[in-house]
Amino acid sequence: MSSEHVENAHNVRNTHSARRTYSAYGDGGATMALKILVAGGFGAGKTTLVGAVSDIRPLRTEEPLSEAGRGVDDTEGVARKTASTIAMDFGRITLHAGLSLYLFGTPGQDRFWFLWDELSEGALAAVVLADTRRLEDCFAAVDYFERRRIPFVVAVNRFPGARAYAVHDVSHALDLDRGTPVVLCDARDRDSGKDVLIRTVEYAGRVHTARLLDSVS
């Protein structure tokens, strides 16, 4: 096992149940680490996004799609997909000195949703990736985070050839709570993915601050 994978496993263990942790890095400085989930439907681009933005080699749990699985998983619109996440993806990105994000990509298939409760423990916020060709696939993720009051941003992954929709149309189609951000992105592009994460942290900060103020008022 490589040193990168050892470090990944160490980070996963230390951040799994804590919303914020403080760790010593090579410069000896204290770093605030925030846990962010990356969710969405099957084939929406979760593994791609985590891999594109991660500063370290991402930890993946992908397995090839089998013929038996094709009878269970709906691959319409994502026929070129050859592998799928069966547990989680993990990556890390440093937004600036003193602030890092630990990214946990959730599995997309229905039969692996039992893992979501474990992965969401201690999460500050989430990104819900949406594919406009299969928009209904992200309904479950939207419902999940709304029920658990985990702030989230919907990121519309712009697949080549997919029909373009206005942000407010996507928000209406998903029946999002007022104020839930919808942004456009390209999960393959690091800068685009980084912008999504910055928006997510900013939005989560506003939501958690508002809740704190409500609790003391």
Side-chain angles (χ1 to χ4, degrees):
M1 181 178 289
S2 69
S3 60
E4 286 180 316
H5 282 108
V6 171
E7 181 184 11
N8 284 348
H10 176 74
N11 289 337
V12 170
R13 183 172 66 252
N14 285 342
T15 62
H16 193 60
S17 61
R19 175 167 296 164
R20 297 173 178 85
T21 62
Y22 295 86
S23 306
Y25 284 89
D27 60 1
T31 297
M32 175 179 283
L34 306 177
K35 181 178 181 181
I36 305 293
L37 298 185
V38 180
F42 179 62
K46 301 178 292 296
T47 299
T48 300
L49 177 64
V50 173
V53 302
S54 182
D55 295 331
I56 60 174
R57 182 179 178 182
L59 177 66
R60 294 171 174 168
T61 59
E62 283 194 314
E63 291 292 338
L65 293 176
S66 64
E67 288 304 316
R70 291 184 185 277
V72 177
D73 301 320
D74 179 12
T75 58
E76 183 178 354
V78 288
R80 294 184 179 180
K81 188 171 177 62
T82 60
S84 180
T85 299
I86 61 171
M88 69 173 186
D89 299 308
F90 175 76
R92 186 189 71 201
I93 178 174
T94 300
L95 293 183
H96 56 71
L99 177 59
S100 293
L101 303 182
Y102 289 161
L103 309 175
F104 289 77
T106 66
Q109 301 102 310
D110 297 5
R111 64 184 182 277
F112 295 127
W113 280 352
F114 67 91
L115 295 169
W116 283 37
D117 287 342
E118 189 76 11
L119 291 174
S120 65
E121 181 68 25
L124 176 78
V127 174
V128 176
L129 275 173
D131 178 354
T132 57
R133 301 169 302 176
R134 300 157 54 97
L135 195 59
E136 67 280 0
D137 285 4
C138 68
F139 287 173
V142 169
D143 290 343
Y144 182 91
F145 296 125
E146 286 183 343
R147 288 197 306 270
R148 287 159 180 78
R149 302 184 73 230
I150 298 175
F152 66 93
V153 167
V154 173
V156 179
N157 193 6
R158 293 175 290 189
F159 286 90
R163 180 179 175 183
Y165 291 89
V167 164
H168 69 271
D169 289 334
V170 174
S171 179
H172 178 73
L174 295 177
D175 194 24
L176 298 177
D177 291 340
R178 184 177 180 181
T180 302
V182 177
V183 298
L184 304 178
C185 76
D186 182 343
R188 303 166 299 179
D189 183 76
R190 175 178 170 83
D191 288 338
S192 180
K194 187 175 180 179
D195 287 342
V196 170
L197 295 173
I198 291 172
R199 287 285 301 273
T200 302
V201 172
E202 290 175 344
Y203 175 63
R206 293 195 299 270
V207 170
H208 288 296
T209 298
R211 290 175 182 173
L212 178 60
L213 292 176
D214 287 343
S215 69
V216 298
S217 62

